[in-house]
């Protein structure tokens, strides 16, 4: 029996590649950089399954290039703003993502950024490396306190809630904003109080973003939002870059409207090394690594493989992003 043909757009951990290789005829893109668009459109033609990354745009053009035999698109990420979901659903193609397994690892990184920005860790490391450390300085590299501060969480889904748990561990007061209120039981368990976004921005010492990127959340943190924050506040973004207006953030950090920022995600992504945000001492930028622990990336790979294999076999995906595709088939 001929094996299903699949395209895997980057090298992922063996935990996911091995089972895919066993069951499928795999075209694996092995470069460090994503396949250029033309290459992607060429390689996707005729495949039964696509294992995509958040750097691959999956839209009508790509789905047309793939052809009508395509049975599944499995995204190696929890976020799927790179995928035009209605375009998939219109064609009856299920898409999959990797929710749950990266929740805690992502919250760990969000809290790492919070602490690094608050206590000026990258600046301090550079200070030592550059040979400036001469003595214990009473005025040296002072940051802001984390313990006892107010943590404002925007987007109270899985990752936002894990962030709340970490904040509680540091004795922080937890505020959150989400269009869907948590249950009173969850609020009580997490010690979290729901407030409007304006109030959260005004009252928080730390604002951490955990929303999906949608039309509503695009540039949610703009110049007005940043002006509403305390001059001592720290902004943390591990959601998607375009949730924050980068030009407004640059002004806010440069002019002291807020104290610091910690960014795992940026607009654009990657952020060029000569981008003004990279040069600001109070902006800690890391290259979209929130889920990058070995264990978590193995789990994501396994999950992406499970979705891909279920799809090529015509079975229901374990974690579909468009479950409505199954209703329409029924
Ligand atoms: C990473 O950003 C993801 O969505 O998994």
């Amino acid at each position: 029996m001929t094996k299903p043909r699949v395209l895997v757009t980057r090298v992922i951990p063996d935990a996911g590649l091995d089972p895919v290789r066993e069951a499928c005829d795999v075209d694996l893109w092995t470069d460090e950089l994503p396949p250029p668009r033309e290459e992607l459109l060429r390689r996707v033609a005729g495949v039964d399954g696509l294992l995509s990354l958040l750097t691959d745009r999956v839209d009508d053009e790509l789905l047309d290039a793939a052809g009508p035999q395509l049975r599944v698109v499995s995204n190696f990420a929890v976020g799927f703003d790179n995928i035009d979901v209605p375009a998939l659903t219109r064609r009856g193609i299920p898409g999959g993502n990797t929710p749950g397994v990266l929740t805690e690892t992502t919250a760990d990184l969000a809290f790492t950024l919070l602490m690094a920005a608050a206590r000026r860790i990258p600046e301090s490391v550079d200070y030592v490396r550059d040979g400036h450390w001469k003595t214990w300085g009473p005025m040296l590299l002072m940051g802001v306190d984390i313990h006892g501060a107010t943590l404002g969480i925007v987007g109270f889904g899985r990752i936002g809630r894990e962030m709340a748990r970490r904040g509680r561990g540091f004795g922080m007061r937890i505020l959150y904003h989400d269009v869907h209120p948590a249950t009173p039981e969850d609020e009580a368990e997490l010690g979290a109080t729901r407030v409007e976004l304006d109030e959260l921005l005004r009252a928080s010492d730390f604002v951490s973003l955990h929303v999906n990127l949608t039309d509503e959340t695009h540039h949610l943190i703009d110049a007005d939002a940043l002006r509403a924050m305390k001059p001592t506040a720290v902004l943390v973004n591990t959601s998607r870059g375009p949730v924050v207006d980068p030009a407004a953030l640059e002004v806010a950090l440069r002019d002291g409207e807020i104290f610091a920022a910690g960014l795992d995600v940026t607009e654009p992504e990657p952020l060029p090394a000569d981008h003004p945000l990279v040069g600001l001492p109070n902006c800690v930028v890391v290259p979209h690594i929130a889920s990058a622990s070995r264990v978590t990336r193995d789990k994501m790979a396994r999950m992406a493989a499970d979705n891909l294999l279920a799809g090529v076999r015509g079975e229901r995906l374990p974690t579909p992003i468009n479950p409505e595709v199954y209703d329409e088939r029924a």
Side-chain angles (χ1 to χ4, degrees):
M1 216 177 77
T2 55
K3 290 180 168 180
R5 279 183 59 205
V6 298
L7 173 62
V8 178
T9 63
R10 217 85 67 76
V11 175
I12 62 168
D14 287 339
L17 268 189
D18 286 347
V20 173
R21 281 195 168 116
E22 211 160 286
C24 305
D25 176 3
V26 183
D27 179 9
L28 175 66
W29 179 258
T30 53
D31 278 20
E32 186 195 355
L33 296 180
R37 185 72 179 169
E38 286 312 308
E39 190 68 31
L40 184 62
L41 295 179
R42 202 174 61 73
R43 286 183 178 236
V44 81
V47 300
D48 302 297
L50 171 66
L51 196 153
S52 55
L53 267 66
L54 50 83
T55 40
D56 305 314
R57 189 160 39 85
V58 178
D59 55 7
D60 276 315
E61 183 190 35
L62 181 131
L63 297 171
D64 287 344
Q69 77 299 326
L70 184 68
R71 307 192 80 176
V72 59
V73 174
S74 170
N75 216 37
F76 179 82
V78 65
F80 49 88
D81 48 285
N82 59 308
I83 297 181
D84 179 346
V85 179
L88 273 187
T89 307
R90 275 198 301 277
R91 290 168 171 79
I93 300 172
N97 69 337
T98 64
V101 292
L102 48 71
T103 303
E104 291 177 299
T105 303
T106 301
D108 285 350
L109 195 274
F111 214 82
T112 304
L113 284 174
L114 179 155
M115 297 185 83
R119 298 302 305 270
R120 304 174 64 180
I121 297 302
E123 271 181 277
S124 300
V125 171
D126 285 350
Y127 186 84
V128 175
R129 286 215 172 110
D130 294 345
H132 297 310
W133 189 14
K134 303 278 188 294
T135 181
W136 185 87
M139 307 296 280
L140 185 61
L141 286 161
M142 289 185 283
V144 293
D145 272 329
I146 297 154
H147 69 274
T150 296
L151 171 59
I153 298 174
V154 182
F156 211 50
R158 283 182 294 254
I159 300 171
R161 289 170 192 221
E162 277 305 316
M163 191 63 177
R165 289 206 170 85
R166 280 149 185 74
R168 292 263 283 172
F170 278 76
M172 298 174 99
R173 178 167 81 108
I174 312 295
L175 303 178
Y176 79 94
H177 176 72
D178 197 298
V179 282
H180 306 292
T183 62
E185 293 76 32
D186 285 356
E187 288 189 352
E189 192 224 318
L190 297 164
T193 305
R194 182 167 180 259
V195 292
E196 290 308 317
L197 183 59
D198 278 358
E199 186 183 340
L200 182 145
L201 294 171
R202 271 188 277 105
S204 297
D205 300 300
F206 295 89
V207 173
S208 191
L209 306 175
H210 301 281
V211 290
N212 294 328
L213 176 61
T214 62
D215 289 345
E216 286 72 44
T217 61
H218 183 267
H219 287 191
L220 180 70
I221 304 300
D222 58 7
D224 287 343
L226 289 157
R227 268 194 295 271
M229 290 170 65
K230 298 181 182 183
T232 49
V234 173
L235 176 71
V236 175
N237 190 10
T238 54
S239 62
R240 283 292 182 263
V243 174
V244 177
D245 176 347
L249 180 62
E250 184 198 329
V251 172
L253 288 169
R254 211 188 40 223
D255 296 354
E257 284 171 16
I258 66 171
F259 180 71
L263 309 176
D264 181 49
V265 290
T266 58
E267 183 188 25
E269 207 167 283
L271 203 59
D274 61 358
H275 190 282
L277 283 174
V278 177
L280 287 172
N282 54 348
C283 190
V284 181
V285 187
V286 296
H288 204 150
I289 55 166
S291 65
S293 77
R294 283 177 203 276
V295 169
T296 292
R297 287 283 164 88
D298 276 357
K299 289 182 185 164
M300 289 169 67
R302 183 71 232 190
M303 235 172 151
D306 287 348
N307 278 325
L308 184 78
L309 295 179
V312 293
R313 290 177 184 139
E315 294 161 9
R316 190 186 170 97
L317 308 199
T319 50
I321 57 175
N322 55 345
E324 60 277 11
V325 84
Y326 298 110
D327 305 341
E328 281 167 23
R329 273 186 201 168

